[in-house]
Amino acid sequence: MAAETLRPAQRSRRETVYGKLSAALCYFGFLIPSIIGSNLGFWPSALAAVALVLSGALVFVWLTVPLRKVRLDSDRKRGLIECAIRSPDAPPGTLQDRWKPGYAEIRHGTIRFQALYGDIEEPSGPISTFSGITALHELPRPQKRPADAKRKWKILAMITDQGPLEIAAGEAGMQLLELQSR
């Protein structure tokens, strides 16, 4: 029997292709100086390579962002958010003290969290369940953004049946958490 997982919406075909094409741009960035370097010289060809890679990456990001927003919005409607959690009472330097990125399913005042491991896009491993959520309040932004928290994510602190918990998520995830905790 397969283990239960929290399944976020699958990446669209275009989103997957754009991700692979942006990675392929780096390869072409290394080829350009070697191809046109003899005609222009090293620095002009290196500058052309950097300009090509950056402009191509920006185009692919520009094409991918709307698709990602639609995918995350469909997950949010199902009660599933992309987030990161940590235990604030854990001793410094331990695994529980670090932010764990993953997906959380929020229903009826219960948070079911499953972590992402490595570069895998799918959550895997055991599902942690937190219920009895009380004392929900937003924390001020730390001076240095946690490595596993995205740029515009906010941090909420709460008390659960498993002890204190901090969760970092986007604005839509915060609204869902606040609605479900009432």
Side-chain angles (χ1 to χ4, degrees):
M1 183 172 135
E4 179 187 11
T5 61
L6 300 178
R7 294 269 179 220
Q10 192 172 5
R11 294 175 71 180
S12 69
R13 187 173 180 180
R14 284 177 39 194
E15 195 175 357
T16 304
V17 167
Y18 293 153
K20 289 179 181 177
L21 286 176
S22 64
L25 277 175
C26 292
Y27 175 73
F28 289 116
F30 286 114
L31 283 180
I32 290 173
S34 63
I35 294 172
I36 63 173
S38 60
N39 295 339
L40 295 177
F42 175 75
W43 289 112
S45 62
L47 186 63
V50 168
L52 175 74
V53 169
L54 287 179
S55 62
L58 286 174
V59 166
F60 289 129
V61 165
W62 178 68
L63 293 171
T64 305
V65 166
L67 300 171
R68 187 178 193 295
K69 284 183 180 179
V70 168
R71 180 172 50 89
L72 292 176
D73 191 44
S74 71
D75 283 344
R76 187 185 55 80
K77 289 177 183 173
R78 293 183 3 220
L80 195 65
I81 62 169
E82 183 180 22
C83 63
I85 66 168
R86 79 177 200 103
S87 176
D89 285 350
T94 61
L95 289 177
Q96 285 77 24
D97 183 50
R98 298 192 61 188
W99 287 95
K100 289 182 265 185
Y103 285 88
E105 181 181 57
I106 303 164
R107 291 207 176 135
H108 311 297
T110 301
I111 298 173
R112 296 177 65 224
F113 177 80
Q114 191 168 27
L116 295 173
Y117 290 106
D119 293 333
I120 302 171
E121 292 282 328
E122 293 286 321
S124 59
I127 295 177
S128 304
T129 303
F130 305 95
S131 58
I133 299 169
T134 57
L136 192 68
H137 65 279
E138 188 173 337
L139 295 175
R141 279 194 164 191
Q143 286 186 346
K144 184 178 178 187
R145 179 177 56 89
D148 291 318
K150 299 215 166 107
R151 182 173 296 150
K152 294 185 180 181
W153 281 7
K154 295 180 181 177
I155 301 172
L156 280 180
M158 62 188 77
I159 305 295
T160 68
D161 61 340
Q162 304 284 330
L165 180 73
E166 291 179 0
I167 186 166
E171 188 65 38
M174 291 295 152
Q175 291 172 358
L176 188 61
L177 278 166
E178 289 173 358
L179 286 174
Q180 290 294 322
S181 67
R182 290 181 188 161

